[in-house]
């Protein structure tokens, strides 16, 4: 329950109402009573002078009337003796007031010495006294006698008492008090040798309180030879403590003894020296013990004191208190109003029972009260005060307390104060720790009356705190341990706090992880390591918005998993310096230089530096800048995009929580530039736009090796040379349901050459579907010229698409070769398996040129060939099966091949005729079947119809011939492309389809 304003306790406000001034005190009583006795004596002297013989009847008749008029109450008495040296009065009674069985006066009526009483004796004194709530006293029946006559009345002045001896015996005073009736009995004897002067004096008191079983025995002697006092007190705390303000009830007993003495004193010295002088003159000791003590204050729960003992010694103007045994106090639960003012996380501990212990330090006095050289008083402490409640324990070691002349506390000095928190404390995090302060001075009057005027003061501190569980969700740690030293300054008026955190302060996080997709390194260490200490400050009126932090520290090696990455992706940061400045919602963070690695990609940044500067606007939004720079980018331990990289981003956050990032990125010393625009909404949707300016490749510009590490192509493949220009654009959208978008790559006059083959003048635009990384958006078309050793330049066009399984579907890939065209049609390529299945189409291929490049010995021909050959690539080998080719029209085929000649070698005339015919065969029909088995040479089965003009006068022949050759050379470009493409996909480790 939140306390209502009228129940809130404000600084400087009293817990109880201000107490009214107390009623008349003991000296006032004594003075008024002796005044009455002198009136009686004067009246009796007059009566003696008027009629000695009839003195008794006259006195008994007149004195009651005189006293009645003086006391405003009827008085009865019986004067039994009136002599110049002795007056005896018996049975004195005031209506509804006190009574005395016997009053005996021995006057001195000497004209030279003056009028005074040698002695006054009272026997069997009976009185009813009423003690008020404010501590004042009223004697029933004598209200008029003890009514103060002036508001300036004070009993601080030593009275003049014209009596040399006072004896009171048989005292029976019945007191009505706020805590019930109390009976006081006993006797009192006082001797004043130089009456009316109070000095020298001898006092002997024997008083008992039977109702409370309390007693006071006191003997005091004061005179020119000094003061000697011995007192013994035995009190019931339950009867007497409730007389004190703010005490409701008590139990237990206390015993005390006091012995005081001094050197020679006189009346003038006592009146002039004051309390400091009197203490300097006194020597003595006291001891107080208590047992079974409990106290119930007005605004607190019941307090229980363990049995204890304290000793007081006065010597040399100092009062020393020693505690042979600690003072131990057990309290009941914290009162409800105070408990409600506690933070919610602490309310549960308010139901516990606080324990307070005060312990003297070693052999030194626990407390020394002495006059202060600058005026007033000083109290020096040599004790520890400890407080325990639930998982909390606190200890304070006070140093001194200064007091003014009226003993009002002024400045409290504390040597050290500490608080310990044991495991189980939930604030709401599980926490253990030790906080300790150094020396501090507190001006109590200002703190309690007007805190806004209290000057600032510094508090040295050291902290050793461990937090368990959640740190800042979703970050979790088995434990986070902070060890810190520094200074905390409470600002003037206690309006705020400023702190420094010294160099060497350290934060260790063990078992550090994250929840959900966030994963952190298991251990992390942070050390304050700047030239100056870290600093922090806040205003108590608005702690969050007024918080300021500034300083430098060194962050230990850190591993951070990237949320949502598929496959998993993480960043590893080496130990690094960090500087931070935060003020009024504006933050500046500088991190690095640091080496950053991405272990899953074997990549990273060298000597990276991050600088973040962000702050709030008046409309509630936030904006700032972030700059990232690095000396280089690494992949597989080798630099790519060599040279310095920088990124400078503008960051903003709208009132709806949308975060935007925009800015340029420069790579490879500015040879690659791109602009980034990103947006992330509170509901988890993101949009990334990336545009890259044209990148120039060539001898004076970037090479492919600058962009792609060699490992992408495989260790056995040389990095090809690239020329031309590429630019790209990415438009990517993320949502909780997935991702979508387009990546566009424009190729302009790209050339790719290795030692033997390649391509040039590659042009076209590629569009990829980011919903399925690696897949294209529909069919793509590229044009260029293929180059292979032993072959002429081959203009080429390819129309293809890549599906979400990253299978390449080639609609048509053409090569203009041998005067005709070779084309892969309706072909499927699986780069991951380096496999292909499709059809090779030949259109109007010049047979003469083709046969030269097929390197079939002794075979020449003319004409054009067309046809279809099914082709399959698997395991890095080309397989042709049941290919069918045919000549378009006639031509000449000359076969003078040793293999064919040996196959046809024979004495038969027909065979010799066939061999002769093939050496210059003019065909009008030619068909061929093409077969290339796995791992073997291929065969071409020719079926010819025609004639040799030189044989049999051009007689027509139909001839079938099989030719054998390894014509895989024609497929080198295809195999090289497939091998490179598959290697790049494998090394890049794109997400699985």
């Amino acid at each position: 329950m939140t306390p209502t304003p009228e129940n809130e306790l404000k600084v400087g406000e009293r817990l109880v109402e201000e107490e009214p001034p107390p009623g008349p005190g003991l000296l006032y009583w004594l003075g008024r009573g002796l005044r009455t006795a002198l009136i009686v004596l004067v009246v009796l002297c007059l009566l003696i002078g008027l009629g000695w013989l009839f003195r008794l009847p006259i006195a008994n008749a007149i004195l009651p009337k005189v006293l009645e008029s003086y006391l405003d109450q009827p008085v009865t008495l019986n004067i039994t003796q009136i002599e110049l040296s002795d007056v005896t009065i018996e049975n004195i009674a005031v209506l509804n007031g006190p009574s005395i069985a016997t009053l005996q006066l021995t006057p001195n009526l000497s004209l030279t010495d003056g009028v005074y009483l040698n002695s006054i004796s009272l026997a069997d004194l009976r009185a009813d006294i009423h003690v008020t709530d404010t501590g004042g006293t009223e004697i029933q029946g004598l209200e008029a006698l003890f009514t103060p006559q002036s508001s300036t009345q004070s009993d601080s002045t030593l009275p003049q008492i014209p009596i040399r001896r006072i004896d009171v015996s048989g005292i029976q005073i019945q007191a009505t008090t706020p805590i019930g009736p109390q009976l006081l009995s006993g006797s009192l004897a006082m001797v004043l040798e130089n009456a009316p002067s109070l000095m020298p004096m001898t006092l002997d008191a024997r008083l008992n309180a039977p109702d409370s079983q309390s007693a006071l025995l006191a003997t005091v002697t004061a005179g020119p030879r000094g003061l000697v006092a011995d007192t013994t007190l035995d009190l019931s705390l339950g009867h007497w403590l409730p007389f004190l303000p703010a005490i409701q009830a008590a139990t237990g007993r206390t015993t005390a003894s006091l012995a005081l003495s001094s050197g020679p004193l006189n009346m003038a010295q006592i009146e002039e020296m004051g309390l400091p002088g009197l203490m300097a003159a006194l020597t003595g000791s006291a001891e107080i013990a208590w047992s079974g003590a409990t106290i119930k204050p007005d605004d607190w729960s019941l307090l229980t004191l363990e049995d204890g003992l304290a000793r007081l010694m006065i010597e040399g103007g100092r009062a020393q208190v020693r505690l042979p045994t600690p003072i131990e106090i057990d309290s009941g639960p914290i009162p409800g109003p105070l408990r409600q003012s506690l933070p919610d996380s602490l309310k549960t501990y308010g139901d516990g029972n606080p324990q307070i212990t005060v312990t003297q330090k070693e052999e030194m006095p626990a407390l020394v009260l002495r006059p202060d050289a600058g005026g007033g008083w000083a109290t020096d402490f040599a004790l520890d005060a400890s407080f325990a409640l639930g998982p909390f324990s606190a200890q304070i070691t006070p140093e001194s307390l200064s007091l003014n002349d009226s003993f009002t506390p002024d400045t409290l000095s504390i040597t050290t104060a500490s608080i310990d928190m044991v495991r189980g404390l939930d604030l709401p995090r599980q926490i253990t720790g030790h906080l300790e302060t150094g020396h501090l001075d507190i001006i109590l009057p200002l703190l309690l009356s007007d805190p806004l005027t209290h000057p600032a003061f510094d508090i040295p501190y050291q902290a050793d705190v461990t937090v368990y569980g959640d740190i800042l969700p979703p970050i979790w740690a088995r434990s986070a341990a902070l060890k810190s030293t520094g200074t905390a300054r409470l600002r003037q008026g206690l309006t705020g706090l400023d702190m420094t955190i010294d160099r060497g302060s350290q934060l260790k996080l063990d078992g550090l992880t994250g929840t959900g997709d966030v994963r952190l390194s298991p251990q992390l260490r942070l050390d304050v390591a700047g030239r100056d200490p870290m600093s922090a400050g806040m205003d108590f009126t608005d702690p969050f918005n007024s918080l300021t932090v500034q300083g430098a520290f060194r962050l230990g090696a850190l591993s951070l998993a990237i949320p949502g990455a598929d496959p998993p992706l993480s960043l590893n940061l080496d130990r690094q310096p960090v500087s931070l400045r935060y003020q009024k919602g504006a933050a500046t963070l500088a991190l690095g230089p640091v080496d950053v690695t991405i272990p899953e990609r074997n990549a990273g940044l060298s000597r990276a530096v991050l600088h973040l500067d962000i702050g709030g606007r008046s409309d509630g939004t936030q904006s700032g800048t972030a700059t990232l720079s690095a000396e280089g980018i690494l992949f597989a331990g080798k630099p790519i995009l060599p040279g310095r990289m920088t990124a400078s981003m503008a960051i903003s956050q709208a009132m709806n929580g949308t975060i935007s990032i925009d800015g340029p990125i420069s790579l490879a010393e500015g040879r690659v530039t791109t602009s980034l625009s990103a947006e992330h909404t509170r509901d988890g949707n993101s949009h990334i736009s990336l545009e890259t300016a044209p990148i120039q490749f060539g001898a004076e510009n970037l090479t492919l090796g600058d962009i792609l590490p060699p490992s992408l192509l495989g260790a056995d493949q040389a990095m090809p040379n690239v020329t031309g220009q590429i630019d790209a654009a990415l438009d990517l959208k993320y949502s909780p349901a997935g991702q979508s978008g387009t990546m566009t790559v424009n190729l302009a006059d790209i050339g790719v050459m290795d030692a033997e083959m390649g391509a040039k003048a590659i042009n076209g635009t590629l569009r990829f579907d980011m919903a399925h990384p690696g897949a294209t958006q529909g069919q793509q078309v590229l044009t260029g010229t293929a180059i292979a050793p032993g072959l002429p330049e081959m203009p080429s066009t390819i129309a293809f698409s890549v599906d979400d399984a990253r299978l390449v579907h080639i609609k048509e890939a053409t090569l203009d070769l041998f005067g005709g065209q070779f084309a892969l049609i309706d072909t499927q390529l699986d780069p991951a398996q380096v496999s292909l299945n499709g059809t090779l189409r030949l259109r109007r291929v010049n047979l003469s040129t083709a046969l030269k490049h097929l390197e079939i010995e002794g075979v020449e021909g003319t004409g054009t060939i067309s046809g279809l050959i099914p082709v399959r690539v698997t395991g890095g080998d080309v397989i042709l099966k049941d290919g069918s080719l045919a000549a378009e029209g006639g031509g000449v085929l000359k076969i003078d091949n040793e293999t064919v000649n040996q196959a046809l070698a024979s004495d038969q005339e027909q065979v010799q005729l066939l061999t002769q015919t093939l050496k210059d065969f003019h065909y009008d029909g030619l068909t061929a079947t093409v077969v290339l088995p796995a791992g073997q040479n291929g065969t071409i089965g020719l079926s010819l119809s025609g004639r040799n003009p030189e044989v049999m006068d051009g007689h027509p022949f139909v001839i079938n011939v099989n030719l054998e050759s390894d014509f895989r050379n024609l497929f080198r470009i295809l195999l090289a492309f497939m091998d490179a493409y598959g290697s790049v996909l494998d090394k890049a480790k794109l997400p699985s389809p």
Side-chain angles (χ1 to χ4, degrees):
M1 182 182 69
T2 303
T4 57
E6 57 268 25
N7 292 333
E8 291 181 350
L9 180 62
K10 299 180 176 61
V11 176
E13 183 179 356
R14 289 181 176 270
L15 292 173
V16 297
E17 295 294 329
E18 185 172 347
E19 300 173 10
L26 177 62
L27 295 179
Y28 181 73
W29 274 25
L30 187 59
R32 297 291 287 178
L34 294 177
R35 179 181 173 189
T36 303
L38 287 177
I39 292 174
V40 173
L41 181 60
V42 171
V43 170
L44 293 176
C45 290
L46 290 174
L47 294 175
I48 293 172
L50 292 175
W52 178 257
L53 295 177
F54 305 101
R55 59 189 183 280
L56 290 177
I58 296 175
N60 281 319
I62 296 177
L63 185 57
K65 299 297 183 183
V66 174
L67 294 175
E68 180 178 346
S69 64
Y70 182 69
L71 300 177
D72 290 334
Q73 290 286 352
V75 178
T76 60
L77 55 80
N78 181 21
I79 302 174
T80 58
Q81 182 173 333
I82 299 179
E83 303 293 342
L84 293 178
S85 60
D86 184 16
V87 176
T88 302
I89 307 174
E90 298 179 351
N91 301 323
I92 303 173
V94 179
L95 182 63
N96 298 322
S99 65
I100 301 173
T102 303
L103 172 62
Q104 186 173 12
L105 308 171
T106 56
N108 179 13
L109 303 178
S110 170
L111 296 178
T112 57
D113 295 339
V115 178
Y116 59 88
L117 292 174
N118 281 320
S119 67
I120 179 171
S121 299
L122 291 83
D124 296 332
L125 171 64
R126 303 285 190 274
D128 290 332
I129 298 177
H130 175 66
V131 181
T132 66
D133 292 335
T134 62
T137 53
E138 298 174 356
I139 300 180
Q140 189 171 349
L142 301 183
E143 291 83 355
L145 175 63
F146 292 103
T147 300
Q149 301 299 312
S150 170
S151 61
T152 60
Q153 181 77 34
S154 172
D155 40 8
S156 62
T157 302
L158 297 176
Q160 299 291 308
I161 303 177
I163 304 173
R164 291 196 171 178
R165 181 178 181 87
I166 301 173
D167 289 301
V168 182
S169 62
I171 297 174
Q172 294 286 326
I173 297 177
Q174 185 68 48
T176 303
T177 72
I179 61 170
Q182 301 288 330
L183 177 63
L184 183 65
S185 63
S187 62
L188 182 68
M190 183 168 63
V191 177
L192 305 174
E193 296 181 8
N194 294 329
S197 173
L198 189 61
M199 300 286 284
M201 174 193 71
T202 300
L203 172 67
D204 185 78
R206 300 287 189 270
L207 299 176
N208 293 281
D211 294 331
S212 63
Q213 297 181 345
S214 301
L216 170 66
L217 305 177
T219 300
V220 179
T221 302
R225 290 173 294 182
L227 169 70
V228 177
D230 289 292
T231 302
T232 301
L233 181 68
D234 186 357
L235 293 180
S236 166
L237 299 177
H239 283 76
W240 301 104
L241 278 185
F243 279 101
L244 298 177
I247 301 298
Q248 290 183 4
T251 62
R253 300 194 64 79
T254 183
T255 59
S257 61
L258 171 68
L260 289 176
S261 62
S262 73
L265 294 173
N266 57 45
M267 195 66 196
Q269 288 177 310
I270 294 177
E271 293 180 348
E272 293 176 2
M273 68 175 52
L275 186 57
L278 183 60
M279 280 191 61
L282 292 177
T283 301
S285 63
E287 183 174 286
I288 180 171
W290 57 89
S291 60
T294 64
I295 302 172
K296 177 60 179 72
D298 285 343
D299 298 300
W300 198 265
S301 304
L302 185 68
L303 302 177
T304 302
L305 280 74
E306 296 294 329
D307 297 352
L309 175 69
R311 293 191 177 100
L312 169 69
M313 178 174 290
I314 300 176
E315 186 177 14
R318 296 170 174 247
Q320 301 179 2
V321 177
R322 294 181 180 271
L323 301 175
T325 59
I327 299 176
E328 298 181 11
I329 303 173
D330 294 331
S331 171
I334 296 175
L338 180 57
R339 182 181 182 277
Q340 291 302 320
S341 67
L342 297 175
D344 291 341
S345 57
L346 295 179
K347 281 186 171 63
T348 182
Y349 305 115
D351 296 331
N353 296 333
Q355 295 178 319
I356 303 170
T357 304
V358 179
T359 306
Q360 177 178 303
K361 296 175 67 174
E362 299 178 352
E363 297 300 321
M364 301 175 64
L367 182 152
V368 176
L369 177 66
R370 58 178 175 80
D372 194 343
W377 296 84
T379 304
D380 301 322
F381 298 102
L383 55 84
D384 292 317
S386 62
F387 172 88
L389 174 61
F392 289 102
S393 63
Q395 181 170 302
I396 297 177
T397 303
E399 180 180 305
S400 63
L401 174 65
S402 63
L403 307 101
N404 60 19
D405 290 331
S406 61
F407 283 87
T408 301
D410 186 16
T411 301
L412 174 64
S413 297
I414 296 176
T415 302
T416 183
S418 64
I419 183 170
D420 290 274
M421 298 162 283
V422 301
R423 186 72 184 268
L425 177 61
D426 194 349
L427 294 176
R429 306 289 182 264
Q430 288 284 313
I431 186 171
T432 64
H434 174 80
L435 299 174
E436 184 173 326
T437 70
H439 179 89
L440 65 152
D441 296 319
I442 303 173
I443 304 175
L444 295 176
L446 291 179
L447 183 65
L448 298 177
S449 62
D450 188 5
L452 294 179
T453 63
H454 198 289
F457 59 94
D458 294 334
I459 308 173
Y461 77 91
Q462 63 180 25
D464 189 347
V465 179
T466 302
V467 179
Y468 303 87
D470 288 346
I471 307 299
L472 292 172
I475 299 175
W476 184 94
R478 184 181 299 112
S479 64
L482 171 66
K483 291 186 178 181
S484 172
T485 61
T487 301
R489 163 166 284 200
L490 284 172
R491 298 176 187 168
Q492 181 173 352
L494 308 183
T495 57
L497 176 68
D498 295 305
M499 295 182 63
T500 63
I501 304 173
D502 292 342
R503 293 185 62 185
S505 297
Q506 186 180 95
L507 174 65
K508 286 185 177 180
L509 297 103
D510 180 42
L512 181 64
T513 61
T515 58
D517 292 330
V518 179
R519 292 292 181 268
L520 300 173
S521 51
Q523 291 185 328
L524 183 64
R525 173 173 161 180
L526 183 152
D527 296 282
V528 177
R531 180 180 62 184
D532 300 317
M534 288 192 69
S535 62
M538 69 175 69
D539 296 330
F540 291 148
T541 55
D542 189 4
F544 180 78
N545 292 320
S546 64
L547 178 65
T548 62
V549 179
Q550 182 170 343
F553 52 90
R554 184 169 290 277
L555 190 65
L558 171 65
S559 175
L560 172 65
I562 305 301
D566 182 20
L569 192 65
S570 61
L571 297 178
N572 290 345
L573 284 75
D574 288 342
R575 186 167 171 82
Q576 69 219 254
V578 180
S579 65
L580 172 66
R581 184 176 183 270
Y582 177 87
Q583 184 175 12
K584 294 183 179 179
T588 300
L589 173 70
L591 180 150
V594 58
D595 292 334
V596 182
T597 60
I598 305 174
E600 295 85 356
R601 298 288 186 268
N602 196 15
L605 299 175
S606 63
R607 305 291 290 173
V609 175
L610 173 66
H611 188 277
L612 177 67
D613 195 341
I614 191 166
R617 299 173 180 169
S618 58
D619 60 0
T621 63
Q622 290 187 325
S623 63
T625 60
T627 302
L628 173 65
S629 65
E631 292 185 0
I633 303 174
L634 301 176
F635 193 96
K638 301 293 181 63
I640 61 172
L641 291 170
R644 187 172 182 80
M645 67 84 62
T646 60
S648 182
M649 299 293 156
I651 304 174
S652 64
Q653 182 175 19
M655 295 183 66
N656 62 3
T658 299
I659 299 174
S660 300
I661 302 176
D662 298 276
I665 301 173
S666 172
L667 305 169
E669 299 288 355
R671 288 176 291 177
V672 177
T673 61
T674 185
S675 61
L676 170 68
S677 178
E679 185 178 274
H680 179 76
T681 63
R682 184 174 293 169
D683 56 6
N685 294 312
S686 300
H687 182 199
I688 299 174
S689 177
L690 192 67
E691 293 187 6
T692 301
I695 303 172
Q696 302 294 333
F697 290 91
E700 302 298 328
N701 297 298
L702 287 176
T703 67
L704 188 62
D706 293 334
I707 296 179
L708 299 178
S711 59
L712 280 179
L713 295 181
D716 57 344
Q717 297 190 31
M719 186 68 66
N721 294 320
V722 177
T723 59
Q725 175 180 294
I726 297 177
D727 65 82
L730 173 67
D731 186 80
L732 180 61
K733 296 179 181 179
Y734 284 100
S735 72
Q739 68 180 45
S740 62
T742 301
M743 183 173 70
T744 302
V745 179
N746 296 311
L747 307 178
D749 291 327
I750 293 296
V752 181
M753 288 295 299
D754 63 11
E756 295 182 345
M757 65 181 62
K760 69 176 183 178
I762 300 174
N763 290 277
T765 298
L766 302 177
R767 291 179 176 85
F768 295 93
D769 183 6
M770 299 311 296
H772 307 284
T776 61
Q777 288 184 337
Q779 184 171 283
Q780 314 295 306
V781 177
L782 294 177
T783 63
T785 299
I787 300 173
L791 295 174
E793 292 186 355
M794 297 167 281
S796 175
T797 300
I798 179 171
F800 70 97
S801 64
V802 182
D803 64 18
D804 54 6
R806 285 198 292 283
L807 299 178
V808 181
H809 301 275
I810 301 174
K811 181 180 180 181
E812 184 179 62
T814 67
L815 283 175
D816 293 345
L817 179 64
F818 305 151
Q821 185 186 77
F822 285 73
L824 280 174
I825 60 173
D826 301 327
T827 298
Q828 178 173 293
L829 169 65
D830 185 353
Q833 302 297 325
V834 194
S835 65
L836 177 146
N837 195 358
T839 299
L840 176 64
R841 183 188 69 197
L842 280 70
R843 280 184 178 175
R844 300 188 62 79
V845 175
N846 186 285
L847 183 59
S848 175
T849 307
L851 288 175
K852 289 179 181 178
H853 286 89
L854 286 176
E855 299 179 351
I856 303 177
E857 183 182 356
V859 179
E860 298 178 2
T862 63
T864 59
I865 301 296
S866 298
L868 298 175
I869 303 174
V871 58
R872 184 163 61 93
V873 177
T874 181
D877 195 11
V878 179
I879 300 172
L880 305 179
K881 184 178 181 181
D882 298 331
S884 176
L885 301 175
E888 295 183 7
V892 177
L893 184 65
K894 297 179 180 181
I895 301 177
D896 190 7
N897 181 276
E898 182 179 353
T899 303
V900 175
N901 293 336
Q902 289 178 357
L904 297 176
S906 174
D907 293 333
Q908 296 181 6
E909 181 180 352
Q910 290 182 346
V911 174
Q912 293 178 356
L913 181 63
L914 176 61
T915 303
Q916 187 65 31
T917 300
L918 290 176
K919 290 182 178 180
D920 186 16
F921 190 78
H922 293 242
Y923 64 87
D924 52 24
L926 183 155
T927 61
T929 59
V930 180
V931 176
L932 182 61
Q936 301 178 30
N937 287 335
T939 60
I940 300 176
L942 295 175
S943 179
L944 303 170
S945 64
R947 61 192 55 79
N948 186 332
E950 302 296 329
V951 178
M952 296 180 65
D953 298 324
H955 183 78
F957 287 91
V958 176
I959 303 173
N960 294 317
V961 179
N962 289 326
L963 302 176
E964 181 177 336
S965 177
D966 183 6
F967 39 83
R968 287 180 172 83
N969 184 49
L970 293 174
F971 299 92
R972 290 178 61 187
I973 296 176
L974 176 62
L975 291 173
F977 167 77
M978 292 178 59
D979 188 50
Y981 189 16
S983 177
V984 169
L985 290 180
D986 180 61
K987 298 297 190 300
K989 298 186 184 298
L990 291 176
S992 301

